[in-house]
Amino acid sequence: MLVEVFPDYEAISDRAAEIVTDQIRRKPDSVIGFATGSTPLGLYKRLIQNHAKHGLDFSKITTFNLDEYVGLSPDHDQSYHYFMWKNLFDHVNVTPARVHIPQGMADDVDAFCEWYERRIEQAGGIDLQILGIGGNGHIAFNEPGSSLGSRTRIKTLTQKTLEDNARFFDDPAEVPRYAITMGVGTIMDARKVLLLGSGSGKTAAIKATLEGPITAMVPATIVQLHRHAHILVDEAAAATLEYRHHHGITEPK
Ligand code: PGA
């Protein structure tokens, strides 16, 4: 694992943008796994700038998003489709036919999940997977207890997630109860994973992920088995790391 500690969120976003930009420049037809959530927003803002100011070309990349709520249409403002187009894809020159986000409205969810796995394979596999991390150590919607070998499938959202999401919906009946998510095994097949953790809400999860035993109760700990895991954290998220100077952490100049 390559772990880099930065002073703050902005510095993590700068570094993440450098890594993703470099990936696209070196391999214009890269297959990139995108994540939603607040953490990658700074990265996406910078990618948009790199496109506008420096001509970073997204036209040949293929994208696969980690997850989507079941039952929300792509134009619902809480859907991850909506999130990705609003925060990144609408502002760069992605080729829509190469964009893949799980379909929350799929008639046959199981068949869709199998198709999604096949599409990733047909695209040649994911070159670089961007990941956030939940305060409980989840990655995508793989909550504690998820099989570490899991593939894309439907998951029941935890009570905590339902409660957290309720405020975004006028009608409580609309709050999604299920999500389609890449599995932990799907994520591990990516050639590189780039995990971003920022703020004190992530301190315990980062400590467990980098220094704890590998366990399904903290799905992010599986990155310890990945051959090319790159982890970017800020001082707040790194606050309780004991082996900070012993497990490959580099301090930026
Ligand atoms: P966040 O979510 O980026 O909004 O903190 C990360 C996650 O839950 O995976």
Side-chain angles (χ1 to χ4, degrees), residues 34-247:
F34 284 98
T36 51
S38 52
T39 309
L41 285 174
L43 158 64
Y44 296 164
K45 214 170 81 189
R46 285 157 177 79
L47 291 179
I48 292 167
Q49 281 166 0
N50 286 348
H51 171 68
K53 291 198 189 135
H54 308 294
L56 182 63
D57 181 15
F58 290 76
S59 67
K60 295 190 189 64
I61 70 163
T62 298
T63 78
F64 287 93
N65 258 78
L66 288 168
D67 45 13
E68 178 60 289
Y69 292 118
V70 169
L72 294 193
S73 65
D75 56 0
H76 193 290
D77 66 3
Q78 292 303 315
S79 76
Y80 289 167
H81 270 83
Y82 187 91
F83 177 101
M84 284 311 300
W85 284 94
K86 175 167 161 255
N87 292 302
L88 179 62
F89 296 153
D90 267 337
H91 310 284
V92 296
N93 63 333
V94 285
T95 303
R98 292 183 196 271
V99 170
H100 302 84
I101 304 173
Q103 283 174 17
M105 301 292 275
D107 289 332
D108 183 338
V109 171
D110 290 343
F112 175 81
C113 292
E114 276 175 38
W115 176 85
Y116 204 68
E117 288 278 334
R118 268 201 316 277
R119 274 301 294 144
I120 295 174
E121 220 177 284
Q122 286 162 0
I126 293 171
D127 291 306
L128 175 66
Q129 176 64 57
I130 298 158
L131 289 176
I133 180 170
N136 62 2
H138 73 208
I139 43 176
F141 268 125
N142 298 289
E143 297 285 3
S146 293
S147 161
L148 297 180
S150 52
R151 312 301 305 186
T152 304
R153 68 214 183 289
I154 185 166
K155 289 288 286 179
T156 306
L157 301 179
T158 60
Q159 191 56 34
K160 170 90 171 69
T161 304
L162 296 184
E163 285 161 17
D164 287 351
N165 286 344
R167 65 182 190 281
F168 300 121
F169 294 85
D170 299 332
D171 177 1
E174 259 203 323
V175 182
R177 308 177 70 83
Y178 305 96
I180 295 173
T181 181
M182 276 189 206
V184 179
T186 320
I187 292 167
M188 283 295 284
D189 282 351
R191 287 180 196 95
K192 276 176 266 171
V193 296
L194 178 64
L195 186 146
L196 316 178
S198 170
S200 56
K202 304 297 167 69
T203 313
I206 287 295
K207 163 92 176 147
T209 297
L210 301 184
E211 298 183 347
I214 296 172
T215 168
M217 292 315 291
V218 184
T221 57
I222 196 68
V223 301
Q224 293 177 26
L225 287 180
H226 199 284
R227 293 179 64 184
H228 298 284
H230 196 156
I231 290 112
L232 310 182
V233 284
D234 59 14
E235 289 289 351
T240 58
L241 291 178
E242 278 169 53
Y243 289 85
R244 184 174 167 136
H245 300 290
H246 296 275
H247 50 59

